[in-house]
Amino acid sequence: MTTSESPARDTDGPVVRTASGAVRGLRERDLSVFRGIPFAAPPVGEARFQAPRPPRPWDGTREAYAFGPPPPQESGFVGRTAPAAGPRAGDWLTVNVWTPDPDPRAARPVMVWIYGGAYKLGHGGQPGYDPQRLVREGDVVVVTFNYRVGVEGFALWEGAPANRGLLDQVAALEWVQENIGAFGGDPARVTVFGESAGAGSTAALLAMPRARGLFRRAVAQSVPGTFFSPALARDIATALAAEAGLAPRAAELAAADQQRLTAAGQALGVKMIQHGERWGRVAPTSVPYSPVVDGEVLPTTPWQALASGAAREVDLLVGHNRDEYRLFLVMSGLLDKVTDELATATLRLYAPGGAAGEAAYRAAFPGFSPGRLFERVQTDWLFGMPSLRLAEAQRAGGGRAHFYELTWPAPGSDGVLGACHGLDVPLLFGTFGADLGGLLFPAGPPGEEAERLSALFRRSWTAFAHSGDPGWPEYDTGSRLVRVLDAEPRTAPYPEEESRRIWEGHAFTPLPLLG
């Protein structure tokens, strides 16, 4: 089913009244499902590149049968869908709700999913994010939604607020607070959860004053360490606008064709490596977007904010996968092709301390090939250590944190992907054949081991949403106990001790403009 099609269901479904008007959903087996409900006005025309505005109210009963169209974004990545054309083409900012029963008396925990996609891809209606199994097995209400990505949501333009994608997320959470009770959810028990850029967004929300009080718990799966300084973000946006032949000003860009700007962003991603002297660590990533520590929308990094106690009242569940960077190594065609020269340059770029960091990695992992060193340092820099340090910062600020590491290897692609980036998503949702799950799992039934681990993911995540306890001890800097998610899950000291020691004391500060 595409995002613009209505499911073939009996349309005599449940009706719920929201603050903007009544919506009619569908009864799908034992769940009530509502799709494409606006939580903000379409960000087009003069509203483009501005903070989200309240949704327009409507009369009568609105059909909530189909997902809203995805926001403008690059195409060509598995599981992503290009923006839809037609009468709803600008109606990107919508929410979707799955509930066992839209009875206000039910007051079930609410889980709000924030999708990943390098801050430039994705939407809330992707098949891989179908939450039916979470809802049924965990007795929760699940909300997914769209937020602006890429050029529309994260490029830093003159005359536009920074982090518009994050502001969209705040608006969606405000909609949840105002309306979710009517769908059978408890606004006092909201858990935000997200993976990759969704986890980075979750971390940012923990640090944002505007998001305070909008959720009680947070799950961050593979937190990226890339947060931009304003100088770096402006320089990248200037290059992006130049790629489109325009000036980096919101007033001029608002009239530009969406496809022209997303094409410019895609072209810049290919050329970013050429800007290494100015953009430093971000240049090889091909991702010109990240949250900007602008001092207003996002006052400081999540690590600094949490260490100062900014989110001590929020329960945190955070973790990462053992072989995060393996996915990108395979997709780039570099598996088994990394030279020692490339490994040395990469270690000196990403390891803390430059040449000293390279020496530390070679000493800590003496049997590693150049390819494994290349992969290890990027796994650590991009996802592993930022995730671990978020838990440590939460504890330092007086809050509670639980930690996990996924070590079970993906069975697809002849097993070479290991416990790679994104593997936790199909395991959590049980959507083994959808989106990235189609690459990570072979065709056909996923197998008993995968199903057992998948059920454990859902049991742990929904237990956390209910009580703040996923089923294993809190993380602390003494015993450093984490949940190791494998064929035989266990609670043990953090497995990546060598990497942790190398990165101990490193501060994840906003990435700077170098020249």
Side-chain angles (χ1 to χ4, degrees):
M1 183 183 73
T2 68
T3 56
S4 60
E5 294 174 342
S6 295
R9 301 286 191 276
D10 178 4
T11 56
D12 186 21
V15 175
V16 169
R17 177 161 294 280
T18 74
S20 299
V23 293
R24 184 186 299 278
L26 296 167
R27 193 67 184 170
E28 297 179 3
R29 292 176 54 194
D30 53 344
L31 301 180
S32 292
V33 184
F34 302 80
R35 297 178 174 91
I37 306 171
F39 68 84
V44 295
E46 65 175 16
R48 190 177 180 189
F49 302 121
Q50 300 304 315
R53 302 178 181 183
R56 300 164 183 163
W58 58 86
D59 297 323
T61 301
R62 180 185 177 115
E63 293 182 349
Y65 302 156
F67 293 116
Q73 60 190 266
E74 299 173 17
S75 59
F77 189 75
V78 63
R80 316 296 179 183
T81 304
R88 295 190 63 193
D91 204 5
W92 308 313
L93 302 183
T94 58
V95 300
N96 318 294
V97 182
W98 287 257
T99 178
D101 182 13
D103 183 345
R105 297 169 296 181
R108 289 179 170 88
V110 181
M111 300 182 71
V112 181
W113 173 251
I114 305 176
Y115 53 80
Y119 302 107
K120 64 179 182 178
L121 299 161
H123 59 92
Q126 288 179 224
Y129 304 148
D130 186 336
Q132 292 185 44
R133 297 182 73 174
L134 271 172
V135 175
R136 289 191 175 99
E137 295 171 27
D139 195 33
V140 294
V141 175
V142 173
V143 176
T144 71
F145 66 93
N146 292 347
Y147 62 93
R148 284 174 285 181
V149 294
V151 170
E152 305 289 333
F154 288 95
L156 186 58
W157 307 127
E158 179 184 334
N163 302 307
R164 297 173 299 280
L166 298 180
L167 293 175
D168 292 346
Q169 295 170 18
V170 170
L173 289 168
E174 290 173 338
W175 183 94
V176 169
Q177 285 296 312
E178 187 172 17
N179 295 286
I180 204 63
F183 293 86
D186 183 355
R189 290 192 293 167
V190 173
T191 298
V192 294
F193 67 130
E195 182 266 348
S196 195
S201 296
T202 297
L205 290 168
L206 288 165
M208 290 171 60
R210 299 185 194 200
R212 200 149 295 155
L214 296 179
F215 54 94
R216 177 68 183 83
R217 300 185 174 100
V219 182
Q221 303 169 211
S222 302
V223 180
T226 52
F227 283 70
F228 289 175
S229 65
L232 176 62
R234 287 193 194 97
D235 204 63
I236 293 175
T238 298
L240 198 160
E243 193 72 37
L246 299 166
R249 294 188 293 270
E252 179 176 340
L253 291 161
D257 179 73
Q258 295 159 9
Q259 293 185 348
R260 179 181 179 183
L261 291 185
T262 55
Q266 193 158 2
L268 178 64
V270 175
K271 300 177 181 178
M272 284 180 65
I273 192 67
Q274 302 171 12
H275 298 265
E277 291 186 1
R278 291 177 64 79
W279 297 350
R281 290 175 166 182
V282 75
T285 68
S286 303
V287 180
Y289 314 103
S290 274
V292 182
V293 182
D294 66 316
E296 183 179 348
V297 175
L298 184 58
T300 187
T301 65
W303 302 274
Q304 186 176 347
L306 266 61
S308 68
R312 65 166 58 97
E313 75 285 356
V314 179
D315 299 328
L316 176 64
L317 171 59
V318 58
H320 65 85
N321 304 346
R322 182 188 58 202
D323 310 308
E324 294 275 7
Y325 201 76
R326 184 80 55 82
L327 176 69
F328 309 108
L329 194 64
V330 171
M331 293 181 72
S332 66
L334 282 175
L335 187 69
D336 299 326
K337 296 180 182 179
V338 176
T339 64
D340 194 60
E341 181 181 25
L342 177 57
T344 295
T346 304
L347 285 163
R348 293 185 178 185
L349 178 63
Y350 291 115
E358 179 209 352
Y361 264 89
R362 291 189 182 275
F365 304 100
F368 275 28
S369 66
R372 289 195 69 190
L373 287 169
F374 178 88
E375 176 192 331
R376 183 75 257 165
V377 72
Q378 293 190 83
T379 286
D380 291 343
W381 170 73
L382 191 54
F383 298 112
M385 295 305 108
S387 299
L388 183 69
R389 296 298 291 277
L390 195 72
E392 293 177 346
Q394 177 71 339
R395 289 305 304 256
R400 301 174 66 242
H402 293 80
F403 200 86
Y404 73 90
E405 181 176 5
L406 174 62
T407 57
W408 186 79
S413 299
D414 299 323
V416 300
L417 288 165
C420 68
H421 188 66
L423 176 59
D424 47 313
V425 175
L427 285 171
L428 174 60
F429 287 97
T431 50
F432 301 104
D435 296 351
L436 189 59
L439 172 66
L440 301 178
F441 292 85
E448 182 182 344
E449 195 170 273
E451 286 283 15
R452 188 167 60 246
L453 184 56
S454 180
L456 175 62
F457 260 92
R458 288 188 293 279
R459 188 163 61 248
S460 300
W461 265 233
T462 56
F464 181 76
H466 277 269
S467 67
D469 182 359
W472 62 87
E474 293 180 40
Y475 180 85
D476 64 62
T477 54
S479 59
R480 301 190 186 281
L481 292 178
V482 308
R483 189 65 168 171
V484 180
L485 298 172
D486 211 318
E488 297 295 335
R490 67 190 189 278
T491 299
Y494 181 55
E496 315 306 333
E497 179 63 14
E498 294 89 350
S499 294
R500 188 197 67 78
R501 287 179 178 175
I502 292 172
W503 288 83
E504 193 168 25
H506 175 79
F508 284 93
T509 56
L511 296 174
L513 181 67
L514 300 181

